[in-house]
Amino acid sequence: MPTLTQDGPLWTLDLGDDENRFSPGFLDETIDALRGLAAGSEPAALVTTGSGKFFSNGLDLDWLGAHPDELGPYVARIQELFDVVLTLPVPTVAAVNGHAFGGGAMLAMAHDWRVMREDRGYVCFPEVDILIPFTEGMNALVMAKLSPRTAVDAMTTGRRFGGAEALAAGIVDATSPLDDLAATAAGLVRDLAGKDRTTLGTIKSRMFAPVSAALREA
């Protein structure tokens, strides 16, 4: 399960050491932790990462298969997580330590910046191959963060992007060896931790207003 820890102004959300799929418990704990961070007033910046082979494999398809009648509320809760990250009033960076598939890739997209392990792991939107179309909110999120060319390549093909390919396509902003991943990600946001929360939150909310609205309409 995810944990949120603090080191001075730098907060680290560790998604866990397994596939870090979005079970209801995972969603509850992550959203509650991030809302708690958002409610503070001290200088802060967020690094989100995993501690195993995966950043996140996204939807918990086993749970969903056992609870098909809860699809609507489940998707709404996932989109709430994306919206919370997207509009968090502090600088955010995803340190993509391993595979980021589907909803896991979208969670990375919701951050302000992304750093990816250079030698292993893929970013992939497999929806076209697993017969799950993007919701309007998820579509809007990915389209807001990628160029039109990259969005077509990523969203309509199910292509797996390794670190170098993801960097060249603009999916991530930097790559790093695993041993330096956390430090590289922290370096992108640590000096921005003092930005005024009210101002930054308003800028993000207005910048991504159409995306946020679409995510909230689940």
Side-chain angles (χ1 to χ4, degrees), residues 47-126:
V47 176
T48 301
T49 193
S51 52
K53 181 180 177 181
F54 298 88
F55 178 78
S56 173
N57 255 353
L59 276 65
D60 189 339
L61 297 178
D62 289 340
W63 182 89
L64 186 58
H67 304 83
D69 56 326
E70 298 186 40
L71 173 62
Y74 177 67
V75 171
R77 193 67 165 154
I78 291 172
Q79 297 198 165
E80 181 181 358
L81 170 61
F82 296 160
D83 187 49
V84 168
V85 175
L86 184 69
T87 60
L88 204 70
V90 304
T92 64
V93 57
V96 183
N97 57 293
H99 299 312
F101 275 60
M106 294 178 209
L107 177 59
M109 291 296 107
H111 290 73
D112 299 327
W113 293 278
R114 287 155 293 284
V115 180
M116 186 174 176
R117 178 176 177 176
E118 65 184 10
D119 61 331
R120 294 188 67 182
Y122 296 102
V123 172
C124 176
F125 299 96

